[in-house]
């Protein structure tokens, strides 16, 4: 994910239609080789697509995070009563910390699901 942050153009270049060459297959080879045994070929491809999608989605949001927080704060000043769940979550986050953990949290949940699937097959 850090490569996306260091090179803002990389996110756009790695989504949608793009030429398939040795570099594209190289990252795919590395990703597939890192997966544990026990998955079908289709599941292995789906797993790397799921992880890559998670990384790309969060990399795309990264730049606008502080802008979004500022906009939410402005709206909540006048309309907090309409959004009690949002207020509760933000209040809890301010008290207990844990903000900006979406990448790690999401990746852990994806990998937990993979582990559960593999354990069911044993």
């Amino acid at each position: 994910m850090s490569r996306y942050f260091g090179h803002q153009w990389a996110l756009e270049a790695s989504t949608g239609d793009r030429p398939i060459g040795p570099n594209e297959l190289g990252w795919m080879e590395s990703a597939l080789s890192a997966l544990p045994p026990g998955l079908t070929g289709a599941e292995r491809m789906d797993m790397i697509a799921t992880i890559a999608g998670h990384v790309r989605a969060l990399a795309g949001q990264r730049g606008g995070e502080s802008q979004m927080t500022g906009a939410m704060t402005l709206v909540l000043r006048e309309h907090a009563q309409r959004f009690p769940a949002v207020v509760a979550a933000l209040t809890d986050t301010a008290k207990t910390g844990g903000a900006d953990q979406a990448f790690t949290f999401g990746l852990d949940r994806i990998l937990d699901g993979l582990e559960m699937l593999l354990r069911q097959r044993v």
Side-chain angles (χ1 to χ4, degrees), residues 58-81:
L58 289 175
Q61 294 177 6
R62 183 72 168 189
E65 194 171 307
S66 63
Q67 192 174 21
M68 184 178 79
T69 301
M72 286 175 35
T73 300
L74 290 174
V75 172
L76 288 174
R77 281 186 190 148
E78 293 186 35
H79 304 284
Q81 72 284 354

Side-chain angles (χ1 to χ4, degrees), residues 4 7-16 55-61:
Y4 284 124
H7 308 283
Q8 293 299 319
W9 54 265
L11 182 61
E12 186 176 333
S14 66
T15 57
V55 171
R56 288 178 182 137
L58 289 175
Q61 294 177 6

Side-chain angles (χ1 to χ4, degrees), residues 84-107:
V86 174
V87 170
L90 293 174
T91 301
D92 182 64
T93 299
K95 287 179 186 175
T96 62
D100 198 19
Q101 300 297 316
F103 175 74
T104 303
F105 181 84
L107 185 59

